[in-house]
Amino acid sequence: MKLYQYRTFSFLRMFFYISLYLFIIIQPVYFMDHQSLCIIKGLFGIECFLCGMTRACIHLLHFDFKGAFSFHPLSFIVFPILCFIVLQDCINIMKSIKKS
């Protein structure tokens, strides 16, 4: 049996999604504006093509569209895709829990 098929792993994934969402919502929208999480920028001092995406998605979660666009314009494409993937995974987790 593969790891993602275990019930405990499914509960951990669901707990991770919910706790990450709550952590981001509880934080103020400008909490991470002055620091970058990019490993490439931290190591080499240059911006990669995804620099600002995390901060832009956080601004989108707080409905700050102007701030999200200022950090990364492609976040309006990436964020809905990411939300769809997470929602689809949550639906699959709920279906697998109901089966067993």
Side-chain angles (χ1 to χ4, degrees):
M1 190 176 259
K2 296 180 181 168
L3 180 64
Y4 63 87
Q5 293 174 335
Y6 286 109
R7 189 177 182 134
T8 306
F9 184 70
S10 298
F11 281 124
L12 286 174
R13 275 196 343 249
M14 190 70 89
F15 176 75
F16 173 74
Y17 292 146
I18 293 170
S19 60
L20 182 65
Y21 174 75
L22 290 175
F23 176 75
I24 291 173
I25 291 298
I26 289 171
Q27 298 297 325
V29 70
Y30 300 106
F31 178 68
M32 291 180 41
D33 283 359
H34 303 292
Q35 57 188 353
S36 177
L37 297 176
C38 183
I39 296 171
I40 294 173
K41 188 172 183 178
L43 290 176
F44 303 111
I46 58 173
E47 290 189 357
C48 69
F49 66 97
L50 288 176
C51 272
M53 186 63 74
T54 302
R55 292 176 283 175
C57 288
I58 289 172
H59 279 268
L60 281 176
L61 269 175
H62 287 275
F63 301 107
D64 179 20
F65 302 113
K66 185 178 177 183
F69 188 81
S70 70
F71 278 111
H72 206 294
L74 289 178
S75 64
F76 292 95
I77 297 170
V78 172
F79 184 70
I81 293 171
L82 183 65
C83 287
F84 176 75
I85 291 170
V86 168
L87 184 65
Q88 189 69 28
D89 191 35
C90 289
I91 290 170
N92 289 338
I93 289 170
M94 296 305 286
K95 284 181 182 178
S96 70
I97 289 173
K98 285 183 180 181
K99 278 184 185 176
S100 45

XYZ file of all heavy atoms in Angstrom:
837
model
N 0.847 -1.182 0.000
C 0.000 0.000 0.000
C 0.891 1.242 0.000
O 1.852 1.328 0.730
C -0.913 -0.026 1.225
C -1.970 1.020 1.194
S -3.105 0.907 2.584
C -4.461 0.100 1.805
N 0.544 2.218 -0.826
C 1.335 3.433 -0.935
C 1.009 4.390 0.210
O -0.057 4.331 0.808
C 1.069 4.099 -2.271
C 1.519 3.225 -3.418
C 1.250 3.872 -4.734
C 1.716 2.896 -5.810
N 1.294 3.250 -7.112
N 1.958 5.289 0.497
C 1.845 6.186 1.649
C 0.597 7.054 1.586
O -0.087 7.247 2.584
C 3.100 7.055 1.759
C 3.143 8.044 2.910
C 3.155 7.287 4.234
C 4.354 8.933 2.801
N 0.270 7.590 0.410
C -0.869 8.501 0.319
C -2.205 7.783 0.487
O -3.244 8.421 0.609
C -0.852 9.273 -1.003
C -0.992 8.432 -2.237
C -2.236 8.105 -2.734
C 0.124 7.968 -2.908
C -2.372 7.334 -3.866
C 0.003 7.200 -4.043
C -1.250 6.888 -4.518
O -1.378 6.126 -5.644
N -2.210 6.461 0.509
C -3.445 5.717 0.686
C -3.751 5.432 2.164
O -4.835 4.988 2.490
C -3.381 4.400 -0.085
C -3.348 4.620 -1.583
C -3.136 3.331 -2.352
O -2.571 2.377 -1.833
N -3.588 3.316 -3.590
N -2.813 5.673 3.052
C -3.051 5.449 4.475
C -3.964 6.524 5.039
O -3.847 7.708 4.704
C -1.734 5.440 5.256
C -0.927 4.183 5.059
C 0.251 4.206 4.324
C -1.344 2.987 5.622
C 0.993 3.054 4.145
C -0.601 1.829 5.449
C 0.565 1.865 4.708
O 1.279 0.730 4.529
N -4.852 6.131 5.904
C -5.821 7.059 6.496
C -5.139 8.128 7.347
O -5.523 9.301 7.313
C -6.807 6.247 7.329
C -7.965 7.017 7.812
C -8.919 6.118 8.563
N -10.067 6.890 8.972
C -11.302 6.503 8.836
N -11.562 5.338 8.321
N -12.286 7.275 9.229
N -4.114 7.746 8.104
C -3.403 8.704 8.951
C -2.735 9.778 8.106
O -2.779 10.963 8.437
C -2.340 7.983 9.799
O -2.962 6.929 10.510
C -1.675 8.934 10.756
N -2.133 9.384 6.993
C -1.492 10.350 6.103
C -2.523 11.307 5.518
O -2.256 12.495 5.353
C -0.733 9.623 4.995
C 0.034 10.532 4.099
C 1.166 11.184 4.563
C -0.372 10.745 2.800
C 1.883 12.033 3.742
C 0.335 11.592 1.973
C 1.462 12.235 2.446
N -3.712 10.799 5.226
C -4.783 11.661 4.705
C -5.204 12.700 5.739
O -5.396 13.872 5.411
C -5.990 10.811 4.308
O -5.649 9.921 3.289
N -5.336 12.268 6.986
C -5.688 13.220 8.050
C -4.585 14.256 8.254
O -4.859 15.438 8.487
C -5.954 12.487 9.366
C -7.301 11.857 9.443
C -7.431 10.510 9.701
C -8.450 12.607 9.247
C -8.676 9.917 9.772
C -9.702 12.034 9.307
C -9.815 10.684 9.569
N -3.337 13.842 8.154
C -2.224 14.787 8.298
C -2.214 15.818 7.173
O -1.947 16.996 7.409
C -0.890 14.043 8.352
C -0.593 13.303 9.647
C 0.692 12.497 9.508
C -0.480 14.284 10.790
N -2.503 15.372 5.956
C -2.565 16.321 4.831
C -3.687 17.324 5.045
O -3.510 18.528 4.832
C -2.781 15.573 3.524
C -1.522 15.084 2.917
C -1.625 14.672 1.468
N -2.904 14.425 0.906
C -3.340 13.217 0.532
N -2.610 12.160 0.712
N -4.517 13.081 -0.020
N -4.855 16.833 5.462
C -5.986 17.732 5.697
C -5.671 18.707 6.833
O -5.973 19.893 6.736
C -7.231 16.918 6.035
C -8.485 17.734 6.067
S -9.000 18.294 4.457
C -10.007 16.931 3.980
N -5.045 18.225 7.889
C -4.641 19.087 9.000
C -3.640 20.143 8.531
O -3.714 21.305 8.926
C -4.041 18.246 10.131
C -3.516 19.065 11.280
C -4.383 19.649 12.180
C -2.152 19.253 11.436
C -3.905 20.410 13.228
C -1.660 20.012 12.470
C -2.541 20.598 13.372
N -2.702 19.759 7.676
C -1.716 20.696 7.138
C -2.399 21.791 6.334
O -2.083 22.980 6.485
C -0.691 19.955 6.279
C 0.249 20.862 5.564
C 1.269 21.509 6.248
C 0.104 21.097 4.202
C 2.135 22.356 5.585
C 0.968 21.947 3.540
C 1.985 22.578 4.237
N -3.325 21.425 5.456
C -4.033 22.427 4.645
C -4.792 23.416 5.526
O -4.714 24.632 5.321
C -5.017 21.760 3.683
C -4.383 20.951 2.579
C -4.991 19.798 2.105
C -3.186 21.327 1.995
C -4.436 19.052 1.091
C -2.617 20.591 0.982
C -3.246 19.455 0.531
O -2.687 18.722 -0.470
N -5.517 22.914 6.492
C -6.328 23.776 7.350
C -5.455 24.665 8.222
O -5.704 25.868 8.351
C -7.285 22.927 8.213
C -8.320 22.266 7.312
C -7.970 23.767 9.285
C -9.157 21.218 8.001
N -4.397 24.099 8.808
C -3.537 24.900 9.682
C -2.763 25.952 8.896
O -2.588 27.072 9.377
C -2.590 24.010 10.483
O -1.760 23.270 9.623
N -2.309 25.626 7.690
C -1.612 26.621 6.872
C -2.548 27.766 6.496
O -2.173 28.937 6.579
C -1.039 25.961 5.612
C -0.247 26.859 4.695
C 1.022 27.355 5.395
C 0.116 26.137 3.419
N -3.772 27.435 6.112
C -4.749 28.458 5.772
C -5.032 29.370 6.966
O -5.020 30.601 6.838
C -6.042 27.807 5.276
C -7.153 28.786 5.040
C -7.144 29.612 3.933
C -8.204 28.904 5.942
C -8.163 30.531 3.716
C -9.223 29.808 5.744
C -9.194 30.616 4.626
O -10.198 31.531 4.422
N -5.251 28.767 8.131
C -5.537 29.564 9.330
C -4.346 30.425 9.737
O -4.508 31.575 10.152
C -5.964 28.666 10.485
C -7.335 28.018 10.344
C -7.586 27.058 11.492
C -8.418 29.069 10.250
N -3.138 29.883 9.610
C -1.941 30.651 9.950
C -1.808 31.877 9.056
O -1.489 32.974 9.528
C -0.691 29.772 9.832
C 0.586 30.516 10.071
C 0.961 30.871 11.360
C 1.409 30.874 9.017
C 2.136 31.569 11.591
C 2.582 31.567 9.232
C 2.948 31.914 10.528
N -2.061 31.700 7.771
C -1.939 32.829 6.834
C -3.035 33.856 7.079
O -2.779 35.068 7.042
C -1.960 32.318 5.383
C -0.677 31.535 5.092
C -2.099 33.466 4.400
C -0.667 30.841 3.765
N -4.244 33.412 7.357
C -5.354 34.340 7.570
C -5.175 35.123 8.873
O -5.486 36.310 8.944
C -6.696 33.580 7.560
C -7.000 33.070 6.164
C -7.834 34.435 8.069
C -7.164 34.150 5.127
N -4.644 34.485 9.910
C -4.471 35.157 11.200
C -3.392 36.237 11.130
O -3.511 37.279 11.767
C -4.149 34.124 12.296
C -5.393 33.286 12.592
C -3.654 34.788 13.569
C -5.140 32.102 13.487
N -2.353 36.003 10.338
C -1.263 36.975 10.222
C -1.746 38.231 9.509
O -2.603 38.156 8.630
C -0.090 36.384 9.422
C 0.539 35.180 10.052
C 1.154 35.492 11.397
O 1.676 36.559 11.622
N 1.059 34.534 12.294
N -1.196 39.383 9.859
C -1.528 40.601 9.107
C -1.034 40.473 7.663
O -0.066 39.776 7.394
C -0.770 41.713 9.826
C -0.186 41.121 11.033
C -0.309 39.653 10.969
N -1.704 41.155 6.761
C -1.381 41.011 5.339
C 0.042 41.502 5.027
O 0.695 40.983 4.134
C -2.436 41.721 4.456
C -2.333 43.217 4.579
C -2.299 41.294 3.014
N 0.551 42.444 5.775
C 1.880 42.991 5.502
C 2.962 42.348 6.363
O 4.048 42.890 6.506
C 1.872 44.501 5.714
C 0.887 45.180 4.802
C -0.308 45.680 5.281
C 1.156 45.281 3.439
C -1.224 46.285 4.428
C 0.248 45.886 2.577
C -0.931 46.380 3.081
O -1.824 46.964 2.232
N 2.692 41.178 6.923
C 3.620 40.492 7.822
C 4.933 40.123 7.141
O 6.001 40.271 7.719
C 2.942 39.241 8.384
C 3.803 38.426 9.289
C 4.183 38.913 10.521
C 4.232 37.164 8.906
C 4.979 38.161 11.374
C 5.015 36.407 9.745
C 5.390 36.905 10.973
N 4.887 39.658 5.912
C 6.089 39.177 5.220
C 6.552 40.092 4.094
O 7.350 39.684 3.257
C 5.824 37.784 4.640
C 5.685 36.731 5.687
S 5.388 35.089 5.009
C 6.449 35.009 3.620
N 6.070 41.299 4.028
C 6.395 42.165 2.895
C 7.856 42.568 2.819
O 8.367 42.863 1.751
C 5.534 43.421 2.928
C 4.128 43.157 2.457
O 3.845 42.003 2.090
O 3.315 44.091 2.456
N 8.563 42.581 3.918
C 9.935 43.086 3.919
C 10.980 41.984 3.927
O 12.165 42.266 4.027
C 10.147 44.012 5.117
C 9.180 45.151 5.130
N 9.215 46.160 4.196
C 8.138 45.431 5.932
C 8.243 47.014 4.436
N 7.561 46.596 5.488
N 10.555 40.726 3.841
C 11.511 39.634 3.820
C 11.153 38.662 2.704
O 10.004 38.425 2.421
C 11.537 38.904 5.158
C 10.201 38.360 5.597
C 10.252 37.823 6.996
O 11.303 37.746 7.592
N 9.105 37.465 7.536
N 12.163 38.122 2.062
C 11.954 37.189 0.975
C 12.268 35.774 1.444
O 13.234 35.546 2.166
C 12.857 37.558 -0.206
O 12.711 36.618 -1.245
N 11.464 34.820 1.027
C 11.684 33.425 1.363
C 12.447 32.686 0.264
O 12.694 31.496 0.386
C 10.342 32.720 1.590
C 9.491 33.226 2.736
C 8.166 32.496 2.763
C 10.216 33.053 4.043
N 12.813 33.379 -0.788
C 13.460 32.760 -1.939
C 14.874 32.284 -1.581
O 15.717 33.076 -1.131
C 13.513 33.734 -3.100
S 14.210 33.023 -4.602
N 15.124 31.012 -1.802
C 16.434 30.434 -1.511
C 17.482 30.972 -2.471
O 18.616 31.262 -2.068
C 16.357 28.897 -1.570
C 15.436 28.382 -0.476
C 17.739 28.278 -1.443
C 15.120 26.912 -0.585
N 17.118 31.121 -3.738
C 18.071 31.621 -4.743
C 18.475 33.056 -4.423
O 19.654 33.409 -4.502
C 17.466 31.514 -6.153
C 17.285 30.038 -6.513
C 18.329 32.214 -7.184
C 16.563 29.784 -7.798
N 17.508 33.873 -4.040
C 17.829 35.260 -3.682
C 18.684 35.308 -2.418
O 19.585 36.131 -2.299
C 16.551 36.076 -3.484
C 16.821 37.548 -3.309
C 15.538 38.340 -3.316
C 15.857 39.817 -3.203
N 14.652 40.624 -3.258
N 18.412 34.412 -1.475
C 19.207 34.369 -0.245
C 20.638 33.918 -0.481
O 21.573 34.430 0.127
N 20.827 32.945 -1.376
C 22.169 32.415 -1.632
C 22.981 33.265 -2.597
O 24.165 33.517 -2.377
C 22.075 30.982 -2.182
C 21.615 29.909 -1.206
C 21.473 28.575 -1.936
C 22.603 29.772 -0.065
N 22.346 33.678 -3.697
C 23.079 34.351 -4.760
C 22.804 35.838 -4.895
O 23.516 36.543 -5.600
C 22.793 33.666 -6.106
C 23.117 32.200 -6.108
C 22.108 31.261 -6.177
C 24.420 31.766 -6.016
C 22.397 29.910 -6.176
C 24.729 30.417 -6.016
C 23.716 29.487 -6.091
N 21.748 36.329 -4.247
C 21.437 37.754 -4.302
C 20.719 38.190 -5.559
O 20.568 39.382 -5.801
N 20.270 37.242 -6.387
C 19.520 37.588 -7.594
C 18.106 37.036 -7.478
O 17.860 36.047 -6.800
C 20.203 37.037 -8.872
C 20.358 35.515 -8.788
C 21.539 37.704 -9.099
C 20.857 34.888 -10.068
N 17.170 37.691 -8.140
C 15.784 37.252 -8.078
C 15.524 36.189 -9.136
O 15.956 36.314 -10.273
C 14.843 38.427 -8.290
C 14.842 39.404 -7.141
C 13.750 40.438 -7.267
O 13.020 40.437 -8.281
O 13.621 41.248 -6.338
N 14.795 35.152 -8.749
C 14.397 34.119 -9.702
C 13.048 34.509 -10.320
O 12.467 35.531 -9.968
C 14.329 32.757 -9.017
S 12.978 32.597 -7.829
N 12.538 33.678 -11.214
C 11.288 34.015 -11.890
C 10.058 33.869 -10.987
O 8.986 34.317 -11.348
C 11.112 33.172 -13.162
C 10.920 31.703 -12.902
C 9.664 31.159 -12.860
C 12.011 30.873 -12.716
C 9.479 29.813 -12.624
C 11.848 29.527 -12.484
C 10.583 28.985 -12.441
N 10.212 33.240 -9.828
C 9.086 33.098 -8.897
C 9.206 33.977 -7.663
O 8.397 33.848 -6.737
C 8.949 31.635 -8.465
C 8.419 30.682 -9.519
C 8.431 29.255 -9.002
C 7.029 31.066 -9.958
N 10.182 34.856 -7.613
C 10.340 35.734 -6.452
C 9.078 36.577 -6.255
O 8.584 37.205 -7.188
C 11.548 36.653 -6.637
S 13.077 35.922 -6.052
N 8.563 36.550 -5.057
C 7.377 37.318 -4.720
C 6.078 36.552 -4.847
O 5.024 37.052 -4.482
N 6.129 35.316 -5.351
C 4.902 34.549 -5.565
C 4.214 34.201 -4.240
O 2.988 34.294 -4.128
C 5.195 33.282 -6.354
C 3.960 32.511 -6.744
S 2.861 33.397 -7.849
C 3.758 33.307 -9.374
N 4.990 33.808 -3.231
C 4.396 33.471 -1.931
C 3.728 34.693 -1.321
O 2.584 34.630 -0.853
C 5.475 32.925 -0.974
O 6.086 31.796 -1.562
C 4.882 32.556 0.367
N 4.421 35.812 -1.341
C 3.849 37.031 -0.777
C 2.641 37.500 -1.571
O 1.657 37.993 -1.011
C 4.920 38.117 -0.710
C 5.999 37.768 0.314
C 7.099 38.760 0.322
N 7.949 38.502 -0.854
C 8.960 39.248 -1.223
N 9.261 40.325 -0.542
N 9.677 38.942 -2.275
N 2.672 37.320 -2.894
C 1.527 37.691 -3.727
C 0.316 36.810 -3.418
O -0.809 37.306 -3.334
C 1.897 37.579 -5.205
N 0.542 35.516 -3.218
C -0.575 34.612 -2.877
C -1.147 34.943 -1.511
O -2.368 34.848 -1.302
C -0.105 33.156 -2.937
S 0.173 32.572 -4.620
N -0.306 35.330 -0.579
C -0.796 35.749 0.741
C -1.663 37.000 0.603
O -2.719 37.110 1.225
C 0.375 35.972 1.715
C 0.992 34.626 2.077
C -0.072 36.713 2.970
C 2.272 34.719 2.874
N -1.238 37.933 -0.230
C -2.045 39.136 -0.451
C -3.369 38.787 -1.132
O -4.395 39.399 -0.834
C -1.263 40.152 -1.278
C -0.304 40.954 -0.469
N -0.628 42.157 0.082
C 0.977 40.706 -0.096
C 0.403 42.649 0.754
N 1.398 41.766 0.656
N -3.353 37.806 -2.029
C -4.602 37.383 -2.662
C -5.549 36.733 -1.650
O -6.766 36.922 -1.732
C -4.317 36.408 -3.804
C -3.852 37.034 -5.102
C -3.513 35.967 -6.126
C -4.892 37.986 -5.661
N -5.004 35.969 -0.705
C -5.851 35.378 0.340
C -6.521 36.446 1.193
O -7.601 36.233 1.731
C -5.026 34.456 1.231
C -4.958 33.007 0.813
C -4.015 32.242 1.710
C -6.321 32.366 0.830
N -5.879 37.595 1.316
C -6.438 38.706 2.084
C -7.199 39.690 1.190
O -7.552 40.777 1.642
C -5.321 39.447 2.823
C -4.775 38.695 3.991
N -5.345 38.748 5.231
C -3.716 37.857 4.098
C -4.661 37.999 6.070
N -3.668 37.433 5.403
N -7.416 39.313 -0.067
C -8.135 40.132 -1.043
C -7.480 41.484 -1.301
O -8.151 42.473 -1.577
C -9.603 40.322 -0.632
C -10.350 39.030 -0.494
C -10.679 38.538 0.757
C -10.694 38.304 -1.608
C -11.353 37.345 0.889
C -11.371 37.106 -1.493
C -11.699 36.623 -0.240
N -6.155 41.535 -1.229
C -5.391 42.744 -1.554
C -4.806 42.549 -2.957
O -3.677 42.124 -3.128
C -4.284 42.965 -0.522
C -3.449 44.194 -0.827
O -3.921 45.071 -1.581
O -2.314 44.275 -0.323
N -5.615 42.847 -3.970
C -5.230 42.564 -5.345
C -4.116 43.472 -5.847
O -3.242 43.036 -6.591
C -6.454 42.667 -6.256
C -7.557 41.738 -5.855
C -8.754 42.231 -5.371
C -7.394 40.368 -5.939
C -9.769 41.376 -4.995
C -8.398 39.495 -5.561
C -9.601 40.003 -5.090
N -4.133 44.714 -5.420
C -3.081 45.647 -5.836
C -1.728 45.217 -5.270
O -0.717 45.224 -5.974
C -3.432 47.061 -5.368
C -2.492 48.111 -5.842
C -2.938 49.493 -5.372
C -1.944 50.532 -5.796
N -2.313 51.859 -5.298
N -1.690 44.832 -4.006
C -0.456 44.349 -3.395
C 0.029 43.063 -4.032
O 1.230 42.868 -4.236
N -0.907 42.168 -4.359
C -0.536 40.906 -5.014
C 0.070 41.170 -6.378
O 1.080 40.557 -6.753
C -1.752 40.005 -5.147
N -0.511 42.089 -7.129
C 0.029 42.403 -8.458
C 1.406 43.036 -8.365
O 2.258 42.794 -9.215
C -0.930 43.325 -9.217
C -0.552 43.528 -10.644
C -0.883 42.576 -11.590
C 0.141 44.660 -11.032
C -0.517 42.753 -12.914
C 0.503 44.855 -12.348
C 0.174 43.896 -13.305
N 1.619 43.830 -7.324
C 2.929 44.481 -7.191
C 4.033 43.476 -6.860
O 5.181 43.677 -7.236
C 2.875 45.580 -6.134
O 2.732 45.020 -4.849
N 3.696 42.378 -6.170
C 4.714 41.378 -5.869
C 4.962 40.438 -7.039
O 6.110 40.122 -7.346
C 4.328 40.561 -4.629
C 4.656 41.251 -3.356
C 3.657 41.722 -2.534
C 5.967 41.444 -2.972
C 3.953 42.372 -1.358
C 6.283 42.094 -1.800
C 5.267 42.563 -0.996
N 3.888 39.961 -7.687
C 4.066 39.079 -8.841
C 2.778 39.051 -9.653
O 1.760 38.551 -9.186
C 4.422 37.669 -8.389
C 5.182 36.900 -9.406
N 4.647 36.520 -10.608
C 6.448 36.446 -9.407
C 5.539 35.861 -11.297
N 6.655 35.800 -10.591
N 2.802 39.570 -10.885
C 1.579 39.625 -11.699
C 1.017 38.241 -12.061
O -0.187 38.095 -12.235
C 2.021 40.358 -12.969
C 3.269 41.065 -12.604
C 3.909 40.274 -11.518
N 1.850 37.224 -12.144
C 1.367 35.891 -12.506
C 0.653 35.174 -11.360
O 0.126 34.083 -11.554
C 2.525 35.028 -13.007
C 3.088 35.390 -14.370
C 4.253 34.478 -14.725
C 2.020 35.314 -15.443
N 0.618 35.791 -10.199
C -0.066 35.162 -9.065
C -1.560 35.015 -9.327
O -2.198 34.124 -8.769
C 0.162 35.968 -7.792
O -0.409 37.254 -7.907
N -2.124 35.833 -10.204
C -3.541 35.733 -10.531
C -3.844 34.489 -11.363
O -4.996 34.082 -11.471
C -4.015 36.992 -11.272
C -4.020 38.214 -10.412
C -2.943 39.081 -10.417
C -5.088 38.468 -9.575
C -2.942 40.204 -9.608
C -5.095 39.592 -8.762
C -4.016 40.456 -8.774
N -2.826 33.886 -11.935
C -2.979 32.627 -12.666
C -2.595 31.446 -11.780
O -3.299 30.436 -11.734
C -2.114 32.638 -13.947
C -2.605 33.733 -14.885
C -2.140 31.281 -14.631
C -1.697 33.993 -16.058
N -1.504 31.578 -11.058
C -0.981 30.476 -10.247
C -1.870 30.205 -9.035
O -2.137 29.036 -8.704
C 0.473 30.781 -9.797
C 0.966 29.758 -8.810
C 1.384 30.849 -11.010
N -2.350 31.232 -8.372
C -3.137 31.062 -7.147
C -4.428 30.271 -7.366
O -4.716 29.342 -6.608
C -3.418 32.416 -6.509
C -4.141 32.328 -5.206
C -3.510 31.833 -4.080
C -5.461 32.715 -5.105
C -4.170 31.741 -2.869
C -6.135 32.631 -3.902
C -5.487 32.141 -2.785
N -5.237 30.586 -8.389
C -6.442 29.767 -8.601
C -6.119 28.309 -8.943
O -6.834 27.399 -8.511
C -7.158 30.450 -9.770
C -6.652 31.826 -9.775
C -5.244 31.766 -9.266
N -5.055 28.077 -9.679
C -4.653 26.705 -9.999
C -4.255 25.975 -8.728
O -4.642 24.816 -8.509
C -3.513 26.704 -11.040
C -4.020 27.226 -12.379
C -2.916 25.304 -11.192
C -2.938 27.466 -13.410
N -3.493 26.635 -7.886
C -3.085 26.044 -6.606
C -4.298 25.743 -5.724
O -4.385 24.669 -5.117
C -2.112 26.971 -5.887
C -1.530 26.497 -4.574
C -0.652 25.274 -4.800
C -0.722 27.610 -3.937
N -5.241 26.659 -5.664
C -6.458 26.439 -4.876
C -7.254 25.261 -5.424
O -7.799 24.460 -4.662
C -7.321 27.696 -4.871
S -6.657 29.019 -3.866
N -7.324 25.140 -6.740
C -8.038 24.020 -7.360
C -7.378 22.687 -7.007
O -8.074 21.714 -6.679
C -8.090 24.206 -8.878
C -8.720 23.050 -9.590
C -10.093 22.867 -9.567
C -7.937 22.148 -10.276
C -10.676 21.794 -10.215
C -8.504 21.067 -10.931
C -9.884 20.895 -10.904
N -6.059 22.632 -7.045
C -5.332 21.401 -6.725
C -5.564 21.006 -5.266
O -5.828 19.839 -4.954
C -3.833 21.566 -7.032
C -3.617 21.649 -8.541
C -3.019 20.423 -6.436
C -2.215 22.040 -8.946
N -5.487 21.969 -4.361
C -5.700 21.680 -2.939
C -7.144 21.255 -2.692
O -7.403 20.293 -1.947
C -5.325 22.900 -2.066
C -5.795 22.727 -0.643
C -3.828 23.141 -2.115
N -8.107 21.934 -3.312
C -9.510 21.574 -3.142
C -9.788 20.172 -3.684
O -10.493 19.385 -3.053
C -10.404 22.605 -3.825
C -11.899 22.414 -3.647
C -12.279 22.594 -2.182
C -12.649 23.400 -4.507
N -9.211 19.857 -4.830
C -9.379 18.522 -5.404
C -8.783 17.454 -4.491
O -9.367 16.389 -4.314
C -8.719 18.475 -6.792
C -9.012 17.222 -7.560
C -10.463 17.157 -7.991
O -11.120 18.167 -8.180
N -10.968 15.949 -8.145
N -7.631 17.738 -3.896
C -7.015 16.790 -2.970
C -7.884 16.609 -1.729
O -8.049 15.488 -1.239
C -5.613 17.249 -2.588
C -4.837 16.185 -1.840
O -5.015 14.985 -2.144
O -4.049 16.545 -0.947
N -8.461 17.688 -1.216
C -9.347 17.582 -0.046
C -10.590 16.757 -0.370
O -11.040 15.953 0.457
C -9.754 18.968 0.441
S -8.414 19.881 1.214
N -11.137 16.930 -1.554
C -12.296 16.137 -1.972
C -11.922 14.661 -2.064
O -12.668 13.787 -1.603
C -12.858 16.664 -3.307
C -13.510 18.032 -3.099
C -13.849 15.678 -3.919
C -13.885 18.739 -4.373
N -10.749 14.373 -2.616
C -10.297 12.981 -2.706
C -10.058 12.377 -1.330
O -10.334 11.202 -1.099
C -9.034 12.883 -3.551
C -9.302 13.122 -5.023
O -10.430 12.958 -5.490
N -8.291 13.543 -5.736
N -9.547 13.169 -0.412
C -9.330 12.689 0.969
C -10.682 12.348 1.604
O -10.839 11.290 2.224
C -8.577 13.740 1.808
C -7.127 13.846 1.363
C -8.644 13.411 3.297
C -6.372 15.004 1.972
N -11.666 13.225 1.442
C -12.981 12.975 2.041
C -13.631 11.728 1.433
O -14.259 10.940 2.137
C -13.888 14.195 1.849
C -13.390 15.432 2.577
S -13.113 15.183 4.318
C -14.772 15.147 4.896
N -13.462 11.538 0.129
C -14.010 10.339 -0.514
C -13.333 9.077 0.011
O -14.008 8.073 0.242
C -13.840 10.430 -2.022
C -14.810 11.358 -2.695
C -14.592 11.363 -4.187
C -15.508 12.327 -4.889
N -15.268 12.380 -6.337
N -12.018 9.122 0.181
C -11.311 7.941 0.649
C -11.652 7.632 2.111
O -11.683 6.463 2.510
C -9.806 8.114 0.479
O -9.293 9.079 1.376
N -11.914 8.658 2.907
C -12.293 8.442 4.302
C -13.689 7.817 4.373
O -13.938 6.918 5.176
C -12.226 9.762 5.090
C -10.763 10.172 5.273
C -12.904 9.635 6.446
C -10.576 11.531 5.873
N -14.593 8.254 3.517
C -15.948 7.705 3.520
C -15.971 6.256 3.054
O -16.811 5.481 3.491
C -16.860 8.546 2.634
C -17.255 9.862 3.259
C -18.202 10.635 2.385
C -18.569 11.942 3.037
N -19.501 12.709 2.237
N -15.039 5.882 2.149
C -14.976 4.507 1.673
C -14.584 3.538 2.772
O -15.104 2.434 2.869
C -13.959 4.378 0.537
C -14.473 4.769 -0.797
C -13.411 4.496 -1.837
C -13.826 4.994 -3.191
N -12.759 4.810 -4.170
N -13.630 3.958 3.596
C -13.122 3.028 4.610
C -13.822 3.133 5.927
O -14.848 3.508 6.158
C -11.640 3.240 4.843
O -11.298 4.592 4.952
